[in-house]
Amino acid sequence: MAFSLSHSFLGPKVTFKCNPFGSHGKLSSKGFLPIVACVKKLDQDLLCESKVDLLLGSVKWDEKGLAVAIAQNVDTGAVLMQGFANRDALLRTISSRKATFYSRSRSTLWTKGETSLNFINVSDIFLDCDRDSIIYLGTPDGPTCHTGSETCYYTSVDDVLNNPQGGETKLALTTLYGLESTITQRKEEMSKSEDGKPSWTKRLLLDDKLLCSKIREEADELCRTLEDNEERDRTASEMADVLYHSMVLLSKRGVKIEEVLQVLRKRFSKSGIEEKRSRKS
């Protein structure tokens, strides 16, 4: 079972700023309240430090004190990069919320983006069931790979086997983003002259009324699967149609599905009532 480090857990920071005594060591005129506050702060910091030590001690570091650390885009699910982390790298990531790794070649810590400024802003951290690998789940500020690619994973094994001389690079995309990529490709092809009947995607991209009517039609058919108690696979099929046609509309508007997921993620962090109040009227 994966273990998540919550957003509220930001690592040890045992600095005690509360001082119930004056500059001459005399008790403050406010009496015992500052002392109580200071003791509570001390207890909280010590508890936090204890939790961090317990966590770091639970990771199964290898003989060199390292564990695999993977950075993953919280919205797209894309694996951005893979490196290694030691205790200090994980601790710095927890406290700074910037993906930090341990360089085996340079024997030092390094934070992704410290040179390029393309930081990976960590929103959560997960350990796998064996506690020997780590996932930094976050949002990148820009391309992750030093080549300028969005991720470091853009070489398909099948492509290499089929074309050893090399061909086009392509990102390792999930189903949803593969669909978005295909729609984008069809959109780019619209400027080229071609013979024969255009694809359905191109027809939708060229005809706003057709596109909107299809979205309304597919949404209605999705609702009917509930109202008419149709089979589950029918619901999945109609939802797929709604997603596809809606993503064509997003492409027409120049909106990426990642932007939609970002909105959803932000809404998850607050109650529905609070979220609705925060929307622009």
Side-chain angles (χ1 to χ4, degrees):
M1 178 167 57
F3 177 81
S4 170
L5 309 182
S6 68
H7 304 295
S8 60
F9 181 57
L10 299 180
K13 190 176 182 181
V14 189
T15 54
F16 311 118
K17 298 181 178 179
C18 49
N19 180 12
F21 301 96
S23 58
H24 300 291
K26 295 181 180 181
L27 186 63
S28 167
S29 60
K30 294 184 180 179
F32 291 99
L33 290 178
I35 296 179
V36 172
C38 186
V39 170
K40 286 183 178 180
K41 180 68 166 61
L42 175 63
D43 288 344
Q44 290 172 355
D45 288 335
L46 291 177
L47 178 61
C48 183
E49 184 179 24
S50 175
K51 286 182 177 180
V52 171
D53 287 339
L54 184 64
L55 166 72
L56 295 177
S58 74
V59 179
K60 293 180 181 177
W61 309 104
D62 66 14
E63 65 278 4
K64 296 181 180 180
L66 302 175
V68 171
I70 300 167
Q72 183 178 11
N73 190 309
V74 67
D75 292 313
T76 69
V79 176
L80 302 174
M81 62 170 291
Q82 180 259 312
F84 291 88
N86 60 5
R87 292 172 65 100
D88 291 338
L90 177 56
L91 186 58
R92 181 176 294 182
T93 301
I94 292 171
S95 60
S96 71
R97 315 309 289 184
K98 304 291 184 184
T100 302
F101 303 86
Y102 179 80
S103 170
R104 294 177 297 171
S105 60
R106 295 182 285 120
S107 299
T108 186
L109 298 185
W110 67 281
T111 298
K112 171 58 188 171
E114 59 189 11
T115 301
S116 65
L117 300 182
N118 292 330
F119 295 99
I120 299 175
N121 305 292
V122 176
S123 57
D124 213 340
I125 304 171
F126 285 83
L127 303 177
D128 78 333
C129 56
D130 294 323
R131 298 291 183 97
D132 59 2
S133 67
I134 305 164
I135 285 183
Y136 295 152
L137 201 60
T139 54
D141 284 333
T144 297
C145 187
H146 70 281
T147 62
S149 177
E150 182 180 342
T151 86
C152 293
Y153 295 89
Y154 54 79
T155 303
S156 166
V157 170
D158 285 341
D159 286 352
V160 173
L161 292 175
N162 294 328
N163 183 11
Q165 302 303 319
E168 291 187 12
T169 60
K170 63 180 181 182
L171 298 179
L173 297 174
T174 57
T175 302
L176 203 57
Y177 290 89
L179 173 58
E180 182 177 62
S181 178
T182 299
I183 294 172
T184 299
Q185 183 179 352
R186 298 292 180 269
K187 186 177 179 180
E188 293 172 349
E189 292 171 353
M190 286 169 53
S191 60
K192 304 175 183 178
S193 59
E194 59 179 25
D195 298 326
K197 189 177 180 180
S199 67
W200 177 245
T201 300
K202 290 182 181 178
R203 287 183 59 193
L204 292 172
L205 288 167
L206 290 168
D207 191 333
D208 292 355
K209 288 185 178 180
L210 174 63
L211 174 57
C212 290
S213 68
K214 288 300 297 182
I215 292 175
R216 295 187 181 101
E217 175 188 330
E218 300 300 346
D220 181 66
E221 291 182 1
L222 175 63
C223 290
R224 286 179 181 274
T225 66
L226 174 62
E227 297 167 345
D228 299 339
N229 194 27
E230 298 183 13
E231 297 293 329
R232 293 177 66 256
D233 59 351
R234 176 70 174 171
T235 301
S237 176
E238 294 301 338
M239 186 61 198
D241 287 337
V242 171
L243 276 174
Y244 161 69
H245 288 91
S246 297
M247 288 180 66
V248 174
L249 187 147
L250 289 180
S251 179
K252 288 263 313 180
R253 297 290 298 157
V255 177
K256 290 185 171 294
I257 189 66
E258 183 176 353
E259 297 176 61
V260 178
L261 296 180
Q262 287 173 356
V263 173
L264 283 174
R265 174 166 49 82
K266 292 176 181 178
R267 290 181 181 179
F268 289 157
S269 63
K270 60 180 69 174
S271 71
I273 296 176
E274 181 183 355
E275 188 279 323
K276 285 184 179 179
R277 289 175 179 171
S278 66
R279 295 188 195 181
K280 296 181 179 179
S281 57

